[in-house]
Amino acid sequence: MAAAEPAVPALPGSGGGGAAAPSGTVPVLFCFSVFARPSSVPHGAGYELLIQKFLSLYGDQIDMHRKFVVQLFAEEWGQYVDLPKGFAVSERCKVRLVPLQIQLTTLGNLTPSSTVFFCCDMQERFRPAIKYFGDIISVGQRLLQGARILGIPVIVTEQYPKGLGSTVQEIDLTGVKLVLPKTKFSMVLPEVEAALAEIPGVRSVVLFGVETHVCIQQTALELVGRGIEVHIVADATSSRSMMDRMFALEELFLNHLIFHGSYSGCFLG
């Protein structure tokens, strides 16, 4: 299931009912299909917590291959409206999960002719800071070996290499298509977009590197926004904090923006 969080203006007083104490919980009526189940969430709960609550209440009835939108009942309009961007629960309200008519594209097998590998910021200065850095280097080595064997283009970025150093020596960059410095989080630089445009029929990107909750996440979001399937290699990406890594992968998975799994054996075909 994926749920969209549309950028619409905030609605004053849209929740209706009485206000809850800031330190307590707020009653919320969660509606899905013909069902309506009362529950509660912490004061200030946002989009992600609402999605998690819907999954806990209706998980066995939700078609995970559909795309959904969360809507809020607005008293001033007398009907449901798309959940405002940045919405936080502050008073009693009613929300519903609405399936859209379009189906999500399911991710199939990767094929070398339509795939590009993205190696993100695997640099020497990150070695002592990133959890399990040696392990993700090892998986990254195998990924690049597989890319060379299968003729898959590889794009590599380095975050501010003057200060953070080059890609670690263990990662063999022989034959890669591009090695680019960057000073922004996302790998989707103008040079990268130009390189992708030169490769006919690109459909998928296999993405790995650091850090999961920053550069990996931002790169995935930008690529998906351009209509490219993104496969994050879970055992070849990490962060300074395992909590940051876990929440980044969980958030992306729950929103169905990307899917993640292990490609450590470079299973393509």
mmCIF file of all heavy atoms in Angstrom, residues 98-141:
data_model
loop_
_atom_site.group_PDB
_atom_site.id
_atom_site.type_symbol
_atom_site.label_atom_id
_atom_site.label_comp_id
_atom_site.label_asym_id
_atom_site.label_seq_id
_atom_site.Cartn_x
_atom_site.Cartn_y
_atom_site.Cartn_z
ATOM 1 N N VAL A 98 -8.559 6.042 1.631
ATOM 2 C CA VAL A 98 -9.332 5.864 0.410
ATOM 3 C C VAL A 98 -8.468 5.246 -0.686
ATOM 4 O O VAL A 98 -7.414 5.804 -1.030
ATOM 5 C CB VAL A 98 -9.896 7.207 -0.086
ATOM 6 C CG1 VAL A 98 -10.759 7.004 -1.330
ATOM 7 C CG2 VAL A 98 -10.691 7.897 1.012
ATOM 8 N N PRO A 99 -8.857 4.102 -1.242
ATOM 9 C CA PRO A 99 -8.081 3.518 -2.343
ATOM 10 C C PRO A 99 -8.268 4.311 -3.624
ATOM 11 O O PRO A 99 -9.379 4.730 -3.952
ATOM 12 C CB PRO A 99 -8.662 2.106 -2.476
ATOM 13 C CG PRO A 99 -10.051 2.218 -1.941
ATOM 14 C CD PRO A 99 -10.011 3.271 -0.870
ATOM 15 N N LEU A 100 -7.176 4.545 -4.329
ATOM 16 C CA LEU A 100 -7.256 5.193 -5.631
ATOM 17 C C LEU A 100 -7.497 4.135 -6.704
ATOM 18 O O LEU A 100 -7.309 2.944 -6.479
ATOM 19 C CB LEU A 100 -5.970 5.969 -5.916
ATOM 20 C CG LEU A 100 -5.624 7.061 -4.891
ATOM 21 C CD1 LEU A 100 -4.346 7.774 -5.296
ATOM 22 C CD2 LEU A 100 -6.762 8.066 -4.752
ATOM 23 N N GLN A 101 -7.871 4.569 -7.873
ATOM 24 C CA GLN A 101 -8.229 3.631 -8.930
ATOM 25 C C GLN A 101 -7.024 3.023 -9.621
ATOM 26 O O GLN A 101 -7.127 1.999 -10.272
ATOM 27 C CB GLN A 101 -9.114 4.335 -9.981
ATOM 28 C CG GLN A 101 -10.460 4.776 -9.427
ATOM 29 C CD GLN A 101 -11.237 3.609 -8.829
ATOM 30 O OE1 GLN A 101 -11.397 2.583 -9.464
ATOM 31 N NE2 GLN A 101 -11.704 3.784 -7.603
ATOM 32 N N ILE A 102 -5.859 3.682 -9.460
ATOM 33 C CA ILE A 102 -4.667 3.168 -10.141
ATOM 34 C C ILE A 102 -4.024 2.072 -9.312
ATOM 35 O O ILE A 102 -4.128 2.048 -8.093
ATOM 36 C CB ILE A 102 -3.635 4.288 -10.402
ATOM 37 C CG1 ILE A 102 -3.174 4.912 -9.074
ATOM 38 C CG2 ILE A 102 -4.208 5.342 -11.314
ATOM 39 C CD1 ILE A 102 -2.049 5.902 -9.244
ATOM 40 N N GLN A 103 -3.393 1.144 -9.965
ATOM 41 C CA GLN A 103 -2.653 0.084 -9.314
ATOM 42 C C GLN A 103 -1.177 0.474 -9.230
ATOM 43 O O GLN A 103 -0.646 1.137 -10.121
ATOM 44 C CB GLN A 103 -2.763 -1.214 -10.113
ATOM 45 C CG GLN A 103 -4.158 -1.812 -10.117
ATOM 46 C CD GLN A 103 -4.498 -2.460 -8.791
ATOM 47 O OE1 GLN A 103 -5.428 -2.030 -8.132
ATOM 48 N NE2 GLN A 103 -3.753 -3.462 -8.400
ATOM 49 N N LEU A 104 -0.528 0.058 -8.150
ATOM 50 C CA LEU A 104 0.910 0.270 -8.048
ATOM 51 C C LEU A 104 1.645 -0.647 -9.023
ATOM 52 O O LEU A 104 1.245 -1.787 -9.237
ATOM 53 C CB LEU A 104 1.396 -0.051 -6.633
ATOM 54 C CG LEU A 104 1.194 1.015 -5.563
ATOM 55 C CD1 LEU A 104 1.683 0.461 -4.231
ATOM 56 C CD2 LEU A 104 1.933 2.285 -5.912
ATOM 57 N N THR A 105 2.694 -0.123 -9.604
ATOM 58 C CA THR A 105 3.557 -0.966 -10.432
ATOM 59 C C THR A 105 4.399 -1.843 -9.513
ATOM 60 O O THR A 105 5.112 -1.348 -8.649
ATOM 61 C CB THR A 105 4.482 -0.093 -11.303
ATOM 62 O OG1 THR A 105 3.682 0.721 -12.143
ATOM 63 C CG2 THR A 105 5.389 -0.971 -12.143
ATOM 64 N N THR A 106 4.284 -3.134 -9.670
ATOM 65 C CA THR A 106 5.073 -4.030 -8.847
ATOM 66 C C THR A 106 6.463 -4.183 -9.447
ATOM 67 O O THR A 106 6.630 -4.176 -10.661
ATOM 68 C CB THR A 106 4.407 -5.409 -8.742
ATOM 69 O OG1 THR A 106 4.208 -5.926 -10.057
ATOM 70 C CG2 THR A 106 3.063 -5.300 -8.045
ATOM 71 N N LEU A 107 7.435 -4.310 -8.578
ATOM 72 C CA LEU A 107 8.815 -4.415 -9.033
ATOM 73 C C LEU A 107 9.097 -5.842 -9.480
ATOM 74 O O LEU A 107 8.887 -6.792 -8.737
ATOM 75 C CB LEU A 107 9.774 -4.026 -7.905
ATOM 76 C CG LEU A 107 9.628 -2.603 -7.369
ATOM 77 C CD1 LEU A 107 10.710 -2.333 -6.343
ATOM 78 C CD2 LEU A 107 9.676 -1.590 -8.483
ATOM 79 N N GLY A 108 9.561 -5.979 -10.686
ATOM 80 C CA GLY A 108 9.874 -7.300 -11.205
ATOM 81 C C GLY A 108 11.364 -7.563 -11.161
ATOM 82 O O GLY A 108 12.120 -6.897 -10.468
ATOM 83 N N ASN A 109 11.781 -8.561 -11.921
ATOM 84 C CA ASN A 109 13.206 -8.877 -11.985
ATOM 85 C C ASN A 109 13.974 -7.756 -12.660
ATOM 86 O O ASN A 109 13.480 -7.107 -13.582
ATOM 87 C CB ASN A 109 13.423 -10.173 -12.770
ATOM 88 C CG ASN A 109 12.931 -11.389 -12.012
ATOM 89 O OD1 ASN A 109 12.858 -11.371 -10.792
ATOM 90 N ND2 ASN A 109 12.596 -12.435 -12.744
ATOM 91 N N LEU A 110 15.172 -7.543 -12.166
ATOM 92 C CA LEU A 110 16.057 -6.580 -12.802
ATOM 93 C C LEU A 110 16.668 -7.203 -14.053
ATOM 94 O O LEU A 110 17.045 -8.367 -14.049
ATOM 95 C CB LEU A 110 17.164 -6.161 -11.845
ATOM 96 C CG LEU A 110 16.725 -5.384 -10.596
ATOM 97 C CD1 LEU A 110 17.856 -5.330 -9.597
ATOM 98 C CD2 LEU A 110 16.271 -3.993 -10.974
ATOM 99 N N THR A 111 16.778 -6.397 -15.094
ATOM 100 C CA THR A 111 17.444 -6.857 -16.311
ATOM 101 C C THR A 111 18.619 -5.933 -16.599
ATOM 102 O O THR A 111 18.494 -4.708 -16.477
ATOM 103 C CB THR A 111 16.479 -6.856 -17.511
ATOM 104 O OG1 THR A 111 15.916 -5.550 -17.662
ATOM 105 C CG2 THR A 111 15.352 -7.854 -17.290
ATOM 106 N N PRO A 112 19.765 -6.478 -16.947
ATOM 107 C CA PRO A 112 20.962 -5.650 -17.153
ATOM 108 C C PRO A 112 20.758 -4.520 -18.147
ATOM 109 O O PRO A 112 21.294 -3.426 -17.960
ATOM 110 C CB PRO A 112 22.001 -6.660 -17.650
ATOM 111 C CG PRO A 112 21.562 -7.964 -17.072
ATOM 112 C CD PRO A 112 20.059 -7.924 -17.075
ATOM 113 N N SER A 113 19.992 -4.752 -19.197
ATOM 114 C CA SER A 113 19.855 -3.747 -20.255
ATOM 115 C C SER A 113 19.081 -2.510 -19.813
ATOM 116 O O SER A 113 19.177 -1.462 -20.455
ATOM 117 C CB SER A 113 19.167 -4.361 -21.476
ATOM 118 O OG SER A 113 17.863 -4.824 -21.138
ATOM 119 N N SER A 114 18.311 -2.607 -18.706
ATOM 120 C CA SER A 114 17.497 -1.465 -18.280
ATOM 121 C C SER A 114 17.840 -1.015 -16.859
ATOM 122 O O SER A 114 17.057 -0.320 -16.211
ATOM 123 C CB SER A 114 16.003 -1.820 -18.357
ATOM 124 O OG SER A 114 15.685 -2.889 -17.491
ATOM 125 N N THR A 115 19.017 -1.403 -16.377
ATOM 126 C CA THR A 115 19.400 -1.136 -14.991
ATOM 127 C C THR A 115 20.692 -0.335 -14.927
ATOM 128 O O THR A 115 21.598 -0.511 -15.739
ATOM 129 C CB THR A 115 19.578 -2.459 -14.214
ATOM 130 O OG1 THR A 115 18.348 -3.185 -14.234
ATOM 131 C CG2 THR A 115 19.986 -2.219 -12.776
ATOM 132 N N VAL A 116 20.768 0.549 -13.935
ATOM 133 C CA VAL A 116 21.993 1.295 -13.620
ATOM 134 C C VAL A 116 22.254 1.137 -12.129
ATOM 135 O O VAL A 116 21.327 1.129 -11.323
ATOM 136 C CB VAL A 116 21.849 2.787 -13.974
ATOM 137 C CG1 VAL A 116 23.125 3.550 -13.611
ATOM 138 C CG2 VAL A 116 21.539 2.967 -15.451
ATOM 139 N N PHE A 117 23.524 0.979 -11.754
ATOM 140 C CA PHE A 117 23.904 0.911 -10.348
ATOM 141 C C PHE A 117 24.351 2.302 -9.878
ATOM 142 O O PHE A 117 25.134 2.962 -10.565
ATOM 143 C CB PHE A 117 25.053 -0.074 -10.147
ATOM 144 C CG PHE A 117 24.624 -1.521 -10.072
ATOM 145 C CD1 PHE A 117 23.409 -1.939 -10.560
ATOM 146 C CD2 PHE A 117 25.469 -2.464 -9.508
ATOM 147 C CE1 PHE A 117 23.014 -3.262 -10.504
ATOM 148 C CE2 PHE A 117 25.101 -3.796 -9.445
ATOM 149 C CZ PHE A 117 23.866 -4.197 -9.936
ATOM 150 N N PHE A 118 23.880 2.708 -8.708
ATOM 151 C CA PHE A 118 24.295 3.961 -8.069
ATOM 152 C C PHE A 118 25.044 3.624 -6.785
ATOM 153 O O PHE A 118 24.481 3.021 -5.872
ATOM 154 C CB PHE A 118 23.082 4.820 -7.715
ATOM 155 C CG PHE A 118 22.566 5.694 -8.829
ATOM 156 C CD1 PHE A 118 22.695 5.329 -10.154
ATOM 157 C CD2 PHE A 118 21.918 6.895 -8.537
ATOM 158 C CE1 PHE A 118 22.208 6.126 -11.176
ATOM 159 C CE2 PHE A 118 21.427 7.703 -9.548
ATOM 160 C CZ PHE A 118 21.574 7.325 -10.864
ATOM 161 N N CYS A 119 26.308 4.028 -6.718
ATOM 162 C CA CYS A 119 27.130 3.844 -5.517
ATOM 163 C C CYS A 119 27.323 5.213 -4.867
ATOM 164 O O CYS A 119 27.938 6.105 -5.441
ATOM 165 C CB CYS A 119 28.476 3.222 -5.891
ATOM 166 S SG CYS A 119 29.634 3.066 -4.515
ATOM 167 N N CYS A 120 26.785 5.365 -3.653
ATOM 168 C CA CYS A 120 26.695 6.686 -3.025
ATOM 169 C C CYS A 120 27.688 6.867 -1.878
ATOM 170 O O CYS A 120 27.560 6.225 -0.815
ATOM 171 C CB CYS A 120 25.266 6.889 -2.515
ATOM 172 S SG CYS A 120 24.951 8.514 -1.804
ATOM 173 N N ASP A 121 28.688 7.712 -2.086
ATOM 174 C CA ASP A 121 29.518 8.270 -1.025
ATOM 175 C C ASP A 121 30.197 7.233 -0.122
ATOM 176 O O ASP A 121 30.239 7.369 1.103
ATOM 177 C CB ASP A 121 28.682 9.214 -0.147
ATOM 178 C CG ASP A 121 27.981 10.297 -0.936
ATOM 179 O OD1 ASP A 121 28.288 10.446 -2.134
ATOM 180 O OD2 ASP A 121 27.114 10.985 -0.369
ATOM 181 N N MET A 122 30.750 6.199 -0.712
ATOM 182 C CA MET A 122 31.475 5.180 0.056
ATOM 183 C C MET A 122 32.921 5.658 0.258
ATOM 184 O O MET A 122 33.863 5.110 -0.341
ATOM 185 C CB MET A 122 31.422 3.844 -0.680
ATOM 186 C CG MET A 122 30.031 3.314 -0.912
ATOM 187 S SD MET A 122 29.397 2.412 0.491
ATOM 188 C CE MET A 122 30.171 0.827 0.235
ATOM 189 N N GLN A 123 33.103 6.637 1.129
ATOM 190 C CA GLN A 123 34.372 7.353 1.238
ATOM 191 C C GLN A 123 35.134 7.039 2.517
ATOM 192 O O GLN A 123 34.551 6.649 3.532
ATOM 193 C CB GLN A 123 34.105 8.858 1.138
ATOM 194 C CG GLN A 123 33.592 9.292 -0.226
ATOM 195 C CD GLN A 123 32.901 10.634 -0.181
ATOM 196 O OE1 GLN A 123 31.676 10.717 -0.274
ATOM 197 N NE2 GLN A 123 33.687 11.713 -0.040
ATOM 198 N N GLU A 124 36.439 7.281 2.440
ATOM 199 C CA GLU A 124 37.351 6.898 3.511
ATOM 200 C C GLU A 124 37.010 7.556 4.854
ATOM 201 O O GLU A 124 37.052 6.911 5.904
ATOM 202 C CB GLU A 124 38.781 7.254 3.118
ATOM 203 C CG GLU A 124 39.832 6.683 4.046
ATOM 204 C CD GLU A 124 39.791 5.167 4.110
ATOM 205 O OE1 GLU A 124 39.652 4.526 3.045
ATOM 206 O OE2 GLU A 124 39.883 4.625 5.226
ATOM 207 N N ARG A 125 36.636 8.821 4.847
ATOM 208 C CA ARG A 125 36.383 9.519 6.109
ATOM 209 C C ARG A 125 35.146 8.988 6.832
ATOM 210 O O ARG A 125 34.972 9.238 8.024
ATOM 211 C CB ARG A 125 36.245 11.013 5.850
ATOM 212 C CG ARG A 125 37.539 11.742 5.557
ATOM 213 C CD ARG A 125 38.420 11.858 6.809
ATOM 214 N NE ARG A 125 37.810 12.714 7.817
ATOM 215 C CZ ARG A 125 37.923 14.028 7.839
ATOM 216 N NH1 ARG A 125 38.638 14.643 6.902
ATOM 217 N NH2 ARG A 125 37.347 14.731 8.786
ATOM 218 N N PHE A 126 34.297 8.275 6.121
ATOM 219 C CA PHE A 126 33.109 7.709 6.763
ATOM 220 C C PHE A 126 33.410 6.388 7.479
ATOM 221 O O PHE A 126 32.593 5.904 8.268
ATOM 222 C CB PHE A 126 31.994 7.472 5.734
ATOM 223 C CG PHE A 126 31.370 8.733 5.208
ATOM 224 C CD1 PHE A 126 31.288 8.965 3.840
ATOM 225 C CD2 PHE A 126 30.863 9.687 6.073
ATOM 226 C CE1 PHE A 126 30.716 10.130 3.345
ATOM 227 C CE2 PHE A 126 30.297 10.855 5.592
ATOM 228 C CZ PHE A 126 30.223 11.079 4.221
ATOM 229 N N ARG A 127 34.564 5.815 7.214
ATOM 230 C CA ARG A 127 34.875 4.473 7.715
ATOM 231 C C ARG A 127 34.689 4.352 9.233
ATOM 232 O O ARG A 127 34.039 3.406 9.706
ATOM 233 C CB ARG A 127 36.296 4.080 7.311
ATOM 234 C CG ARG A 127 36.627 2.622 7.603
ATOM 235 C CD ARG A 127 38.107 2.339 7.313
ATOM 236 N NE ARG A 127 38.441 2.486 5.908
ATOM 237 C CZ ARG A 127 38.378 1.503 5.009
ATOM 238 N NH1 ARG A 127 37.979 0.294 5.368
ATOM 239 N NH2 ARG A 127 38.719 1.729 3.752
ATOM 240 N N PRO A 128 35.249 5.245 10.051
ATOM 241 C CA PRO A 128 35.103 5.054 11.501
ATOM 242 C C PRO A 128 33.724 5.442 12.044
ATOM 243 O O PRO A 128 33.393 5.096 13.186
ATOM 244 C CB PRO A 128 36.186 5.980 12.081
ATOM 245 C CG PRO A 128 36.368 7.044 11.045
ATOM 246 C CD PRO A 128 36.145 6.377 9.726
ATOM 247 N N ALA A 129 32.928 6.139 11.251
ATOM 248 C CA ALA A 129 31.660 6.664 11.765
ATOM 249 C C ALA A 129 30.448 5.808 11.416
ATOM 250 O O ALA A 129 29.481 5.749 12.181
ATOM 251 C CB ALA A 129 31.441 8.088 11.233
ATOM 252 N N ILE A 130 30.475 5.153 10.269
ATOM 253 C CA ILE A 130 29.308 4.416 9.779
ATOM 254 C C ILE A 130 29.277 3.008 10.353
ATOM 255 O O ILE A 130 30.276 2.283 10.295
ATOM 256 C CB ILE A 130 29.312 4.350 8.241
ATOM 257 C CG1 ILE A 130 29.292 5.769 7.645
ATOM 258 C CG2 ILE A 130 28.126 3.546 7.726
ATOM 259 C CD1 ILE A 130 28.064 6.571 7.983
ATOM 260 N N LYS A 131 28.133 2.614 10.887
ATOM 261 C CA LYS A 131 27.984 1.280 11.453
ATOM 262 C C LYS A 131 28.157 0.211 10.363
ATOM 263 O O LYS A 131 27.624 0.344 9.268
ATOM 264 C CB LYS A 131 26.602 1.128 12.087
ATOM 265 C CG LYS A 131 26.332 2.057 13.253
ATOM 266 C CD LYS A 131 27.169 1.687 14.461
ATOM 267 C CE LYS A 131 26.790 2.537 15.661
ATOM 268 N NZ LYS A 131 27.620 2.241 16.847
ATOM 269 N N TYR A 132 28.926 -0.820 10.682
ATOM 270 C CA TYR A 132 29.135 -1.970 9.803
ATOM 271 C C TYR A 132 29.678 -1.548 8.430
ATOM 272 O O TYR A 132 29.330 -2.128 7.410
ATOM 273 C CB TYR A 132 27.837 -2.771 9.633
ATOM 274 C CG TYR A 132 27.260 -3.231 10.948
ATOM 275 C CD1 TYR A 132 26.122 -2.637 11.469
ATOM 276 C CD2 TYR A 132 27.875 -4.251 11.676
ATOM 277 C CE1 TYR A 132 25.591 -3.050 12.688
ATOM 278 C CE2 TYR A 132 27.355 -4.672 12.896
ATOM 279 C CZ TYR A 132 26.216 -4.061 13.395
ATOM 280 O OH TYR A 132 25.703 -4.466 14.603
ATOM 281 N N PHE A 133 30.549 -0.536 8.438
ATOM 282 C CA PHE A 133 31.063 -0.021 7.180
ATOM 283 C C PHE A 133 31.828 -1.097 6.411
ATOM 284 O O PHE A 133 31.729 -1.198 5.188
ATOM 285 C CB PHE A 133 31.967 1.187 7.440
ATOM 286 C CG PHE A 133 32.275 2.005 6.228
ATOM 287 C CD1 PHE A 133 31.280 2.721 5.584
ATOM 288 C CD2 PHE A 133 33.567 2.080 5.711
ATOM 289 C CE1 PHE A 133 31.556 3.485 4.458
ATOM 290 C CE2 PHE A 133 33.854 2.840 4.591
ATOM 291 C CZ PHE A 133 32.843 3.546 3.960
ATOM 292 N N GLY A 134 32.577 -1.920 7.130
ATOM 293 C CA GLY A 134 33.308 -2.992 6.459
ATOM 294 C C GLY A 134 32.389 -3.967 5.746
ATOM 295 O O GLY A 134 32.698 -4.443 4.647
ATOM 296 N N ASP A 135 31.253 -4.255 6.352
ATOM 297 C CA ASP A 135 30.302 -5.181 5.739
ATOM 298 C C ASP A 135 29.696 -4.604 4.464
ATOM 299 O O ASP A 135 29.547 -5.308 3.454
ATOM 300 C CB ASP A 135 29.179 -5.526 6.722
ATOM 301 C CG ASP A 135 29.675 -6.341 7.900
ATOM 302 O OD1 ASP A 135 30.701 -7.019 7.753
ATOM 303 O OD2 ASP A 135 29.030 -6.291 8.971
ATOM 304 N N ILE A 136 29.332 -3.318 4.498
ATOM 305 C CA ILE A 136 28.708 -2.745 3.294
ATOM 306 C C ILE A 136 29.740 -2.557 2.191
ATOM 307 O O ILE A 136 29.406 -2.618 1.002
ATOM 308 C CB ILE A 136 27.944 -1.438 3.593
ATOM 309 C CG1 ILE A 136 28.882 -0.310 4.005
ATOM 310 C CG2 ILE A 136 26.879 -1.655 4.646
ATOM 311 C CD1 ILE A 136 28.164 1.035 4.126
ATOM 312 N N ILE A 137 31.012 -2.362 2.551
ATOM 313 C CA ILE A 137 32.064 -2.332 1.536
ATOM 314 C C ILE A 137 32.149 -3.687 0.835
ATOM 315 O O ILE A 137 32.241 -3.771 -0.394
ATOM 316 C CB ILE A 137 33.429 -1.973 2.155
ATOM 317 C CG1 ILE A 137 33.473 -0.497 2.552
ATOM 318 C CG2 ILE A 137 34.559 -2.280 1.174
ATOM 319 C CD1 ILE A 137 34.753 -0.113 3.279
ATOM 320 N N SER A 138 32.094 -4.755 1.637
ATOM 321 C CA SER A 138 32.191 -6.101 1.072
ATOM 322 C C SER A 138 31.056 -6.381 0.098
ATOM 323 O O SER A 138 31.278 -6.907 -0.997
ATOM 324 C CB SER A 138 32.179 -7.134 2.210
ATOM 325 O OG SER A 138 32.209 -8.446 1.700
ATOM 326 N N VAL A 139 29.831 -6.006 0.479
ATOM 327 C CA VAL A 139 28.692 -6.217 -0.413
ATOM 328 C C VAL A 139 28.813 -5.311 -1.636
ATOM 329 O O VAL A 139 28.527 -5.719 -2.763
ATOM 330 C CB VAL A 139 27.362 -5.958 0.323
ATOM 331 C CG1 VAL A 139 26.178 -6.118 -0.639
ATOM 332 C CG2 VAL A 139 27.205 -6.908 1.492
ATOM 333 N N GLY A 140 29.261 -4.081 -1.419
ATOM 334 C CA GLY A 140 29.445 -3.163 -2.537
ATOM 335 C C GLY A 140 30.449 -3.687 -3.550
ATOM 336 O O GLY A 140 30.269 -3.527 -4.763
ATOM 337 N N GLN A 141 31.518 -4.314 -3.064
ATOM 338 C CA GLN A 141 32.502 -4.920 -3.973
ATOM 339 C C GLN A 141 31.841 -5.958 -4.881
ATOM 340 O O GLN A 141 32.069 -5.982 -6.094
ATOM 341 C CB GLN A 141 33.613 -5.597 -3.154
ATOM 342 C CG GLN A 141 34.575 -4.651 -2.472
ATOM 343 C CD GLN A 141 35.566 -5.406 -1.605
ATOM 344 O OE1 GLN A 141 35.182 -6.251 -0.793
ATOM 345 N NE2 GLN A 141 36.850 -5.121 -1.787
#
